[in-house]
């Protein structure tokens, strides 16, 4: 077990390092560099800027400096606004995290409940309706779904107020974000639930006369949820990347919207900082998922 | 026996003889002979799978939808007299009023021209904000999106199958090292890497040639490059797993004993046995690539204007969404239909061809 965790942590560290490397060196490959902007600068200013941001040093050394700064939580400053990137990230990430947590919770609750219903009522009307809906919702990109939700419920019907900094109504953005993972979890829960329901220990429990709710919650659901746990890592990644577009649509000023903005602005230090931050976050989440998965199911031997 | 027995030519028997009188019997017809046949006609794996597939209404429905879509994207640009990048002109004059028209509406100039006896092809899906026929743009966008999807999944298929089969077949140290590389690539956050590489390649590859790739723009080339770099790992893992199980079969051992080369064993014995699983997952790769492309289009890293893709159309439609909702509905509908059809078809193919699910 300890060996497994050690191996996984090592892999995660290597992955993060590679992400940093790819990010740094690809960004460096862009001709012109970050200060070849619109306005022409005098050679002295140019040289001073390059000295300030260590651009006069060889690339390898720049990388070491950048990594060192990053470990201390310093991502440099934005090329457009001049603000500290780490500050932007920490203030904007709070908004995205709130949205993300709600979306993840919604997806898990809705997915598990609907998936269980579908499995218990196999081949009956509710099952077919649920599976049809889940197939439908996996076929629409989140930005299309988000736009439709916004137009229908906020603009045309006026049921839900759109998001504004004063009135933070997260219903629609959470729905837009949670639709895809919820559908996925629904299918996952259904399949694993059907699998567990066919197991001998479930039949034994029934034959012993255990109350049916107890069979459902203690014997079946607990075991059926193990595959769902494995999806948590990828789901967090997909919710995070999904929030890039959903935040843009609902004009929520989170990290996702900031990232998209920096791409349109070609604000390279910002793109680098946010990419590395999100990547570290996702890799860590994946690592935690894998360890939790291993802890709750002793049958699994991953190597 | 060299002679046939005809009932009429048989010699008459003694009435008390117990020998069977053949004249009282009828010859069985071919049809009746067939009924006595206990064996059903032998069928190949492929034929059996196709039979199952044909019985699956959802899969057949998605095949029909896909065929209709392919027909649409090949026929529409030929039949409709507008092109995807041309602003509508009436009688050679540019029609400035023909922007943002609802489906089947004509602009003032067009109406005048029709009243004078001219013919104007109707705008089945209206026009966009620059006065381009939306129907043609949606058809072209579908074409581009499908192209991107198919091309990306072919890239994934080739690299994934090659890599996975080498790792799975040789096993041991080779497998260990190759799979560690796969593990690392697998744990890279793929969409972030796509965004990053698209941004960078956009600046590095300034593509000014001709042909389809130049018109698609550097973003698409970087999308393909990224698919080639990152997305094949899922396929490689799948293929490796398949090969590890197939490798243990006796017929592989037999081939090895009789001195077959590795490449021959992979080609003749192993790949044919896991091809169905591979094809299914390649088919499911297409909608995921279309999704990725539309996502990139949304954050302004998609195909180069004026070339439309479904993603860029849907993303452009958001600006006037409250007034011109139909501009979002049409591309969204196409994305939904294509994804749904490929997903359902993939499920159907899996039910029909996956050896593990066959009973």
């Amino acid at each position: 077990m300890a060996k497994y965790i050690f191996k996984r942590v090592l892999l995660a560290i290597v992955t993060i390092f590679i992400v940093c490397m790819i990010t740094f060196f690809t960004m460096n490959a862009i001709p012109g560099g970050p200060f070849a902007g619109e306005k022409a600068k005098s050679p002295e200013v140019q040289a001073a800027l390059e000295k300030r941001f260590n651009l006069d040093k060889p690339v390898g050394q720049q990388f070491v400096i950048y990594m060192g700064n990053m470990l201390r939580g310093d991502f440099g400053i934005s090329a457009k606004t001049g603000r500290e990137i780490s500050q932007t990230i920490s203030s904007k990430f709070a908004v995205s995290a709130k949205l993300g947590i709600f979306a993840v919770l919604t997806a898990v609750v809705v997915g598990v409940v609907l998936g269980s219903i579908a499995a218990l009522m196999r081949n009956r009307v509710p099952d077919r309706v649920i599976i049809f809906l889940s197939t439908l919702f996996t076929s629409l990109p989140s930005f299309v779904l988000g736009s439709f939700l916004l137009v229908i419920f906020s603009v045309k019907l006026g049921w839900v107020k759109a998001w504004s900094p004063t009135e933070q109504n997260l219903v629609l953005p959470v729905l837009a974000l949670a639709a895809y993972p919820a559908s996925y979890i629904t299918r996952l829960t259904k399949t694993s639930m059907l699998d567990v329901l066919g197991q001998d220990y479930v039949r034994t429990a029934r034959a012993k006369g255990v109350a049916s709710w107890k069979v459902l919650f203690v014997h079946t659901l607990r075991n059926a949820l193990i595959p769902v746990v494995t999806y948590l890592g990828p789901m967090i990644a997909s919710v995070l990347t999904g929030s890039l577009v959903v935040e843009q649509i609902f004009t929520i000023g989170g990290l996702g919207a900031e990232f998209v903005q920096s791409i349109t602005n070609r604000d390279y230090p910002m793109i680098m900082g946010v990419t590395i931050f999100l990547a570290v976050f996702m890799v860590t989440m994946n690592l935690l998922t894998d360890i939790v998965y291993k802890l709750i199911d002793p049958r699994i031997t991953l190597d | 026996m060299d002679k046939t027995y005809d009932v009429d030519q048989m010699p008459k028997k003694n009435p008390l003889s117990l020998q069977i009188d053949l004249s009282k019997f009828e010859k069985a017809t071919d049809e009746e002979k067939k009924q006595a046949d206990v064996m059903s006609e032998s069928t190949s794996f492929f034929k059996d799978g196709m039979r199952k597939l044909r019985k699956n209404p959802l899969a057949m429905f998605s095949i029909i939808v896909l065929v209709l879509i392919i027909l649409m994207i090949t026929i529409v640009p030929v039949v409709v007299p507008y092109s995807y990048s041309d602003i509508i002109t009436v009688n050679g004059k540019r029609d400035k009023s023909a922007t943002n028209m609802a489906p089947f509406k004509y602009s003032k100039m067009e109406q005048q021209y029709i009243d004078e006896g001219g013919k104007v092809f109707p705008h089945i899906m209206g026009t966009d904000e620059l006065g381009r026929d939306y129907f043609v743009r949606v058809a072209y966008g579908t074409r581009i999106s499908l192209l991107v999807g198919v091309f990306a999944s072919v890239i994934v298929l080739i690299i994934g199958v090659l890599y996975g089969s080498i790792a799975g077949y040789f096993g041991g140290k080779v497998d260990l090292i190759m799979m560690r590389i796969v593990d690392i690539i697998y744990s890279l956050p793929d969409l972030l890497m796509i965004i990053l590489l698209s941004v960078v390649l956009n600046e590095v590859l300034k593509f000014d040639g001709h042909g389809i790739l130049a018109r698609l723009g550097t973003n698409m080339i970087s999308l393909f490059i990224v698919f080639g770099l990152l997305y094949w790992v899922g396929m490689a893992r799948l293929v490796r797993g398949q090969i590890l199980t197939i490798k243990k079969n006796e017929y592989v051992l037999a081939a090895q004993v009789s001195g077959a080369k590795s490449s021959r064993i992979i080609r003749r014995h192993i790949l044919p046995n896991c091809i169905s699983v591979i094809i299914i997952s390649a088919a499911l790769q297409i909608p995921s690539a279309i999704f990725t492309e539309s996502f990139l289009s949304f954050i302004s890293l998609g195909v180069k204007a004026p070339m439309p893709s479904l993603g860029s159309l849907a993303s452009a439609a958001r600006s006037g969404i409250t007034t011109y909702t139909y501009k979002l509905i049409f591309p969204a509908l196409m994305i939904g239909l294509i994804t749904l059809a490929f997903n359902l078809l993939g499920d159907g193919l899996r039910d029909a061809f996956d050896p593990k699910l066959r009973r």
Side-chain angles (χ1 to χ4, degrees), chain B residues 95 143 164 178 209 225 227 241 246 296:
Chain B
D95 187 353
R143 197 188 256 197
M178 286 177 96
I225 292 177
F227 262 84
I246 293 167
L296 288 177

Side-chain angles (χ1 to χ4, degrees), chain A residues 26-297:
Chain A
T26 47
M27 282 294 167
N28 238 290
I30 297 172
F35 300 111
E38 310 82 53
K39 275 178 267 174
K41 297 175 190 76
S42 66
E44 296 88 60
V45 175
Q46 188 77 23
L49 274 174
E50 285 186 354
K51 200 166 168 53
R52 161 72 179 82
F53 293 102
N54 298 315
L55 291 176
D56 49 350
K57 300 201 172 69
V59 182
Q61 206 179 337
Q62 281 183 44
F63 180 60
V64 175
I65 294 171
Y66 187 80
M67 290 294 286
N69 286 343
M70 223 185 55
L71 285 177
R72 274 177 255 126
D74 177 13
F75 288 98
I77 60 166
S78 159
K80 290 282 150 165
T81 59
R83 255 177 283 165
E84 287 267 338
I85 290 171
S86 52
Q87 240 163 37
T88 314
I89 290 179
S90 59
S91 68
K92 301 278 176 168
F93 186 62
V95 183
S96 301
K98 194 172 151 195
L99 181 66
I101 290 170
F102 277 121
V104 167
L105 286 180
T106 315
V108 171
V109 171
V110 172
V112 169
V113 169
L114 290 184
S116 311
I117 293 175
L120 293 174
M121 299 196 159
R122 193 185 181 188
N123 289 338
R124 303 229 297 271
V125 178
D127 172 31
R128 284 174 200 274
V129 172
I130 288 169
I131 293 305
F132 174 75
L133 284 181
S134 76
T135 318
L136 200 66
F137 278 113
T138 43
S139 311
L140 274 183
S142 54
F143 74 90
V144 173
L145 184 65
S147 310
F148 277 133
L149 285 176
L150 188 69
V151 167
I152 294 169
F153 292 106
S154 193
V155 180
K156 294 257 155 93
L157 295 173
W159 288 356
V160 188
K161 286 235 169 69
W163 197 91
S164 65
T166 46
E167 201 170 343
Q168 306 193 341
N169 196 327
L170 285 175
V171 177
L172 293 182
V174 164
L175 278 183
L177 263 184
Y180 188 90
S183 315
Y184 194 89
I185 293 178
T186 305
R187 300 174 133 235
L188 210 60
T189 312
K190 187 197 165 188
T191 331
S192 80
M193 189 98 167
L194 284 178
D195 189 35
V196 175
L197 280 173
Q199 296 286 330
D200 288 341
Y201 56 81
V202 172
R203 203 189 310 150
T204 312
R206 283 215 181 107
K208 277 198 309 189
V210 178
S212 59
W213 65 268
K214 217 173 167 186
V215 176
L216 177 60
F217 286 102
V218 178
H219 295 84
T220 315
L221 204 53
R222 256 177 63 171
N223 287 302
L225 287 185
I226 290 172
V228 177
V229 172
T230 53
Y231 180 59
L232 285 179
M235 173 171 68
I236 289 167
S238 102
V239 164
L240 265 181
T241 41
S243 73
L244 298 189
V245 293
V246 170
E247 281 178 14
Q248 193 85 345
I249 289 168
F250 292 94
T251 57
I252 300 170
L255 192 57
E258 190 70 33
F259 190 39
V260 176
Q261 207 66 49
S262 66
I263 291 167
T264 347
N265 287 341
R266 299 282 184 262
D267 183 351
Y268 299 122
M270 191 75 194
I271 299 177
M272 260 166 83
V274 179
T275 306
I276 292 177
F277 176 78
L278 287 179
V280 170
F281 189 77
M282 286 177 195
V283 171
T284 317
M285 284 300 149
N286 264 330
L287 174 69
L288 289 181
T289 310
D290 276 7
I291 293 174
V292 168
Y293 180 51
K294 174 96 174 171
L295 283 177
I296 58 173
D297 193 355

